[in-house]
Amino acid sequence: ADLSTMATASKPATVSYEAFAPRSSTDIGRLQRIQALTAGPITKAKEQEQNDKEDWTLSEAMTPPLASAVVVTEGLVHDTLAQAYTSSDRLTTLLKHSTSLRLALRASINICEDISNRHAELLRHSGELSAAADRLQAEEGQLTQHAKEIGLPLKHYDAVDRIGILVGVLFRGKATVRGLAKVKVDHEEYPEILNDIDEAVEFFGGECGGSEALKAAERRGEAILSGSMEYYRRSLALQEAALFLIQEAVVERISQTSSDITSALGLKKQTVAADKLEASLIYTRYHGISARSNRLIGLVKKRKGDAYHDLLQLCRTTYCMAREGLLKMTVRAHMDKLKDQHGLVGMTRIASVFLIRLCTVETQLYLDFFGDPNQEDANDSEFQSYLNALCQGLHRTVRRGLVTVHDLDTLCQIVSVLREERGQASSSSITMAAARAIATVIEDAQERLIFCANSALQKEVIRFRATPADLDYPAKLQTKGPTTDDDEDDAVQQQLQVYEAWFPPMRSVLRILSKIFRVVEPRVFEDIARESVQACTGSLKDGANFILQKSGVVHADLFLVKHLLILREQLSPFDIELRSVERQLDFSDAGKAVSRFLANRNRRLFSMSTENALVTLLREGVSVQEASVDSKRDLEDALRSACNDFIEHTSQNMARDIFNFDEQCKASGDKMAEQAFINGETIKMMLEKTSLSLDEQLTSIIEQMSLYLDNAGTQSILMKPVSRKIVRALEEARKYIEKVNNGENGWDTGVRKDVLELMEKMETAIKQAAKTSK
């Protein structure tokens, strides 16, 4: 007990630094293994205690167990020795392995250093090889380019020599011999041959200076048997021979086909019926050769150059001429046949439809030869000229028929039909040729229509000479035809009677203008309308003067008012201005200008300035006089004047004595009461006479107005000013009478009363007549 106490007292205190530097689980496991290797025999309880302990320090692991804790037995010693031997063997094995690992690690490090050195060396050699490869590649590119530059001329030289035999061309010095070609235009290698020839022409042309240099050398007579210029000449000859093969395959084939069709159908002696045209040889034979021709023409269109352009133009010209030769007579014969069968109006519609269809079919056939797959129309000028030539058959036939047509209705129908067909033809670019031909015919028809309209106006209006039957008014208005049971026929008959009662020149003007209004150009129509309205207004005035002498002033005024109102009313739907500026040359100062010109000795005849003597002579001797013409305004003025004349004449006829009395009173002034005309009995007798005739005249005027003017509103408009004028005259007369006193000049209360009653009676009658005329 004392020894254990002393041992315990002498044991140094254990200090743990775990609180300051905690160990990881790996460090703790390593310490446990060290303790197992260094510790002596322990009991199982102690071993379990040590295993349960997790926190070990290095000093605790290296410290042997206390003596008090050890119970030495033989078995324990034997186990401890066995364990020691085992641990020793393990340590020996670990040391051997550690040594071999250390040696292997050293060898690996050496190998890594060797590999690193070799890698650096390899990188250096790789860089050198890469630089050498780049240099070799660049040299290879330069050498390849040099090889191409050296071999390019040889390629073209070889191509010229090789292709000559294929296209049938041999060169012997300056001479060029043409023979049979070994290659066909249908061969798949033919496009490549054309490419080689084009490249050779371009190359040798650039080397020698082109065709101008070749022509200059030929003019100088130089020997050009070698070098780029000679091969340029040869390449041109090859190109010409190659294109001649295409020309034979396309141009001559088209010409031969046209000749065969002409012979087969006998087109020189007869034509093909229009209904069988599309199914005839004229189209079937051409469709048969279109595919091959289109492929060959496509080769030409893809290439640039004057030779290709000339060949393409030759193909188009030959095609158009051949087609025109086949169709021209057939189209003309069909137009003449339509005219004979359907007349000029029916022919224009059917012929226009035929031309539209012909243009469509011809365009499709043309595109089969010269078009691209995506092309839908043909805008080539030569083909359009060909279509225009075909469509001229319509113009030729219609123009011949128009010369003999004088009827305005027929001409208007022709223009209307052609305008409708032109609109349909203009809707597609394919049929623009037909639209142009129809437009030309429309212009001719309009020209003929304008000529006939002017001729009719000249004859029926401007040079019209009225007969007594034409101016038999109001008898013409009083004539009525027999009535029928049919209301519709009766209404039509009445309208015809009203129309026939119009003055012939006005009837002609309105008839002609209504016909040509929508079939001529607006400016032309306005010019015709302006001239015709002026002439018609003059004829109406002349007719009114004749009626004035025959039937009296009221009938003349009503005749003029009636027709001017109708003319204005019928012209209003046309919506025209009837206005223009007329220009005339005035030569009134020409004599003076010529005198100054001859008197000037220093005149400059050839001076290029405003001081030129001839220019001065024209400027001073000739002037332009402008006058504004407004037919609509003149018509309104004439109508206003006619209405004023009717109002004046009617009021004078109905109350002339009253108006004369007012004028006498105004002229007398202050001495009015002493004048004889102011006598009461005289005025009474004058008013009685006027009152007696007023009712009769009012009835006559209303009847005459109803005869001339169908509109009651117009009658009222004309009658109201008459009523107001007469009433105003009566009011003025009443004022003058009131100035005279009773006992003077026969006036007294009874006379004054009678006079005022008569005046009031007349005013009432006049106002009642104005109301009745409504």
Side-chain angles (χ1 to χ4, degrees):
D2 296 334
L3 290 174
S4 60
T5 304
M6 292 176 61
T8 303
S10 62
K11 182 180 178 181
T14 302
V15 180
S16 178
Y17 297 94
E18 291 299 323
F20 305 99
R23 291 184 177 90
S24 63
S25 60
T26 304
D27 295 336
I28 295 173
R30 187 180 296 111
L31 291 176
Q32 289 177 352
R33 288 195 297 272
I34 294 173
Q35 182 186 15
L37 292 174
T38 56
I42 57 176
T43 61
K44 291 184 180 181
K46 188 66 174 179
E47 182 179 0
Q48 183 65 32
E49 181 182 357
Q50 292 176 356
N51 290 336
D52 294 339
K53 188 175 183 180
E54 294 182 356
D55 297 333
W56 290 89
T57 61
L58 182 58
S59 59
E60 290 177 347
M62 296 297 295
T63 301
L66 297 176
S68 60
V70 179
V71 178
V72 180
T73 63
E74 183 177 355
L76 180 61
V77 172
H78 183 270
D79 293 337
T80 302
L81 288 175
Q83 187 177 2
Y85 290 140
T86 302
S87 299
S88 176
D89 292 339
R90 288 175 61 189
L91 289 175
T92 302
T93 302
L94 290 175
L95 287 174
K96 290 179 180 180
H97 282 297
S98 300
T99 303
S100 61
L101 288 175
R102 182 178 61 81
L103 295 176
L105 180 61
R106 176 56 62 186
S108 298
I109 293 173
N110 293 336
I111 292 172
C112 290
E113 291 178 355
D114 184 58
I115 291 174
S116 178
N117 295 332
R118 290 184 180 184
H119 179 67
E121 187 69 18
L122 180 60
L123 290 178
R124 184 176 62 80
H125 285 295
S126 297
E128 294 176 356
L129 290 175
S130 177
D134 293 339
R135 184 177 67 257
L136 291 175
Q137 188 175 3
E139 292 176 355
E140 180 187 7
Q142 294 176 358
L143 292 174
T144 303
Q145 183 65 25
H146 286 309
K148 288 182 179 180
E149 293 175 357
I150 295 172
L152 183 61
L154 298 178
K155 170 187 174 183
H156 298 307
Y157 282 104
D158 293 340
V160 172
D161 295 336
R162 174 176 55 85
I163 296 173
I165 301 175
L166 297 177
V167 297
V169 177
L170 296 178
F171 301 101
R172 296 178 180 177
K174 288 186 177 182
T176 302
V177 181
R178 298 286 293 272
L180 295 177
K182 291 184 178 182
V183 67
K184 302 296 183 180
V185 292
D186 297 323
H187 199 275
E188 59 183 7
E189 294 182 357
Y190 193 76
E192 295 298 330
I193 293 175
L194 288 179
N195 293 335
D196 293 340
I197 294 175
D198 294 342
E199 292 175 0
V201 170
E202 183 179 0
F203 174 77
F204 291 121
E207 291 292 327
C208 69
S211 58
E212 295 181 357
L214 178 60
K215 293 178 181 179
E218 289 178 348
R219 286 195 298 267
R220 292 193 299 268
E222 296 180 358
I224 51 173
L225 301 179
S226 61
S228 59
M229 187 168 293
E230 170 63 17
Y231 271 85
Y232 179 63
R233 183 184 70 83
R234 293 186 179 186
S235 61
L236 290 178
L238 294 178
Q239 187 180 59
E240 181 181 356
L243 295 182
F244 180 75
L245 296 178
I246 298 180
Q247 179 179 339
E248 284 184 334
V250 178
V251 177
E252 296 183 5
R253 183 67 179 276
I254 291 175
S255 301
Q256 184 61 39
T257 302
S258 299
S259 300
D260 296 342
I261 294 172
T262 303
S263 301
L265 299 178
L267 295 180
K268 294 183 179 180
K269 298 181 181 180
Q270 63 182 4
T271 58
V272 181
D275 56 346
K276 300 179 181 179
L277 185 60
E278 294 185 30
S280 65
L281 295 177
I282 295 177
Y283 285 95
T284 56
R285 286 285 184 88
Y286 268 79
H287 281 297
I289 65 173
S290 61
R292 180 171 182 260
S293 300
N294 180 265
R295 183 173 55 80
L296 296 177
I297 291 172
L299 294 177
V300 177
K301 292 174 68 176
K302 291 178 181 178
R303 288 166 172 78
K304 298 180 181 179
D306 295 337
Y308 290 103
H309 180 269
D310 295 340
L311 177 59
L312 181 60
Q313 192 66 25
L314 178 61
C315 294
R316 288 174 176 166
T317 303
T318 304
Y319 174 86
C320 293
M321 292 179 62
R323 296 299 300 173
E324 184 177 356
L326 293 174
L327 292 172
K328 189 172 183 180
M329 297 306 299
T330 298
V331 173
R332 287 188 175 182
H334 184 58
M335 295 296 169
D336 295 337
K337 181 180 178 181
L338 290 176
K339 179 185 174 184
D340 296 337
Q341 292 180 348
H342 304 280
L344 199 57
V345 178
M347 172 261 178
T348 52
R349 183 177 297 279
I350 301 175
S352 299
V353 175
F354 171 75
L355 288 182
I356 292 173
R357 177 59 184 171
L358 182 65
C359 289
T360 303
V361 175
E362 281 297 311
T363 302
Q364 292 174 353
L365 182 61
Y366 179 82
L367 293 177
D368 289 343
F369 276 83
F370 297 93
D372 297 329
N374 297 327
Q375 188 175 359
E376 297 180 357
D377 55 359
N379 295 322
D380 299 330
S381 59
E382 191 155 358
F383 177 68
Q384 292 298 323
S385 299
Y386 153 66
L387 291 181
N388 291 337
L390 282 184
C391 296
Q392 284 302 313
L394 175 66
H395 179 260
R396 166 183 167 274
T397 305
V398 176
R399 187 174 179 84
R400 287 182 178 181
L402 289 175
V403 176
T404 60
V405 177
H406 299 279
D407 184 37
L408 294 180
D409 292 329
T410 302
L411 293 172
C412 291
Q413 290 178 10
I414 293 173
V415 175
S416 299
V417 169
L418 290 174
R419 278 184 169 180
E420 181 180 350
E421 296 300 329
R422 182 183 62 179
Q424 183 176 356
S426 301
S427 61
S428 174
S429 59
I430 296 176
T431 57
M432 287 304 297
R436 289 191 291 268
I438 295 173
T440 305
V441 179
I442 290 175
E443 292 176 358
D444 291 342
Q446 287 178 333
E447 183 179 353
R448 179 65 181 175
L449 176 61
I450 293 169
F451 172 77
C452 293
N454 285 326
S455 299
L457 289 173
Q458 286 285 336
K459 179 181 178 181
E460 300 176 13
V461 180
I462 298 177
R463 294 197 300 267
F464 177 77
R465 295 294 179 264
T467 62
D470 295 329
L471 295 171
D472 189 14
Y473 289 90
K476 291 181 67 174
L477 300 176
Q478 295 170 350
T479 304
K480 295 185 179 179
T483 59
T484 60
D485 295 336
D486 193 345
D487 294 339
E488 183 177 356
D489 294 340
D490 191 23
V492 173
Q493 188 66 26
Q494 291 179 0
Q495 290 294 331
L496 291 177
Q497 290 179 5
V498 172
Y499 180 73
E500 291 296 332
W502 291 356
F503 190 49
M506 188 189 75
R507 188 168 62 234
S508 299
V509 167
L510 296 178
R511 174 175 55 83
I512 294 173
L513 292 181
S514 62
K515 289 180 178 180
I516 69 173
F517 173 55
R518 297 191 182 278
V519 292
V520 297
E521 298 300 326
R523 294 181 59 183
V524 176
F525 176 80
E526 190 166 346
D527 290 339
I528 295 175
R530 183 179 62 254
E531 295 177 1
S532 61
V533 168
Q534 289 178 347
C536 181
T537 304
S539 297
L540 290 173
K541 291 180 179 179
D542 295 338
N545 293 331
F546 181 85
I547 295 174
L548 174 64
Q549 299 175 2
K550 177 185 176 183
S551 303
V553 65
V554 175
H555 288 284
D557 292 338
L558 288 175
F559 166 82
L560 192 57
V561 170
K562 170 186 175 66
H563 286 85
L564 290 177
L565 282 173
I566 293 174
L567 184 61
R568 184 183 68 173
E569 179 183 358
Q570 295 295 324
L571 289 176
S572 59
F574 297 137
D575 192 20
I576 51 179
E577 293 294 334
L578 299 178
R579 185 183 304 164
S580 67
V581 177
E582 294 184 352
R583 295 178 177 84
Q584 297 179 349
L585 295 178
D586 185 8
F587 294 93
S588 59
D589 296 332
K592 297 179 182 179
V594 171
S595 300
R596 289 193 295 270
F597 174 78
L598 296 176
N600 186 8
R601 299 297 182 183
N602 297 324
R603 54 181 177 268
R604 301 176 181 178
L605 298 178
F606 304 102
S607 175
M608 302 301 292
S609 65
T610 56
E611 297 180 358
N612 186 287
L614 295 176
V615 175
T616 304
L617 174 62
L618 294 175
R619 185 173 63 249
E620 296 178 354
V622 182
S623 60
V624 179
Q625 301 293 333
E626 294 186 353
S628 178
V629 179
D630 191 344
S631 297
K632 184 177 288 188
R633 182 190 60 194
D634 295 342
L635 177 62
E636 293 291 340
D637 293 342
L639 178 60
R640 188 181 301 107
S641 176
C643 293
N644 292 334
D645 291 343
F646 170 77
I647 294 169
E648 180 67 25
H649 295 154
T650 302
S651 59
Q652 287 291 336
N653 290 337
M654 296 174 64
R656 181 177 288 106
D657 294 338
I658 298 175
F659 287 108
N660 292 336
F661 173 74
D662 290 342
E663 293 295 332
Q664 291 175 353
C665 291
K666 290 180 182 178
S668 299
D670 296 337
K671 299 179 180 181
M672 178 185 66
E674 301 175 359
Q675 303 296 327
F677 62 83
I678 199 68
N679 183 268
E681 294 295 333
T682 303
I683 292 176
K684 181 179 178 181
M685 292 175 60
M686 181 264 294
L687 292 176
E688 289 176 349
K689 177 183 176 182
T690 302
S691 177
L692 290 175
S693 63
L694 183 62
D695 294 337
E696 181 180 354
Q697 290 182 0
L698 284 174
T699 303
S700 176
I701 289 296
I702 292 175
E703 290 178 354
Q704 293 173 4
M705 291 178 62
S706 301
L707 188 62
Y708 281 91
L709 304 174
D710 297 331
N711 192 340
T714 306
Q715 300 175 23
S716 176
I717 292 174
L718 287 176
M719 196 61 192
K720 283 182 179 180
V722 175
S723 174
R724 286 196 296 268
K725 190 169 185 178
I726 295 175
V727 170
R728 192 181 304 112
L730 291 173
E731 291 177 353
E732 291 181 359
R734 184 182 292 107
K735 291 179 181 178
Y736 291 131
I737 292 173
E738 289 177 353
K739 293 181 180 180
V740 181
N741 298 322
N742 292 332
E744 294 181 0
N745 209 346
W747 284 94
D748 57 19
T749 304
V751 172
R752 188 180 299 277
K753 180 180 178 182
D754 294 338
V755 168
L756 294 177
E757 289 179 353
L758 288 173
M759 287 185 175
E760 185 176 356
K761 179 181 178 181
M762 284 190 290
E763 286 183 7
T764 303
I766 290 294
K767 293 179 179 179
Q768 186 66 29
K771 294 179 179 179
T772 305
S773 62
K774 291 185 180 181

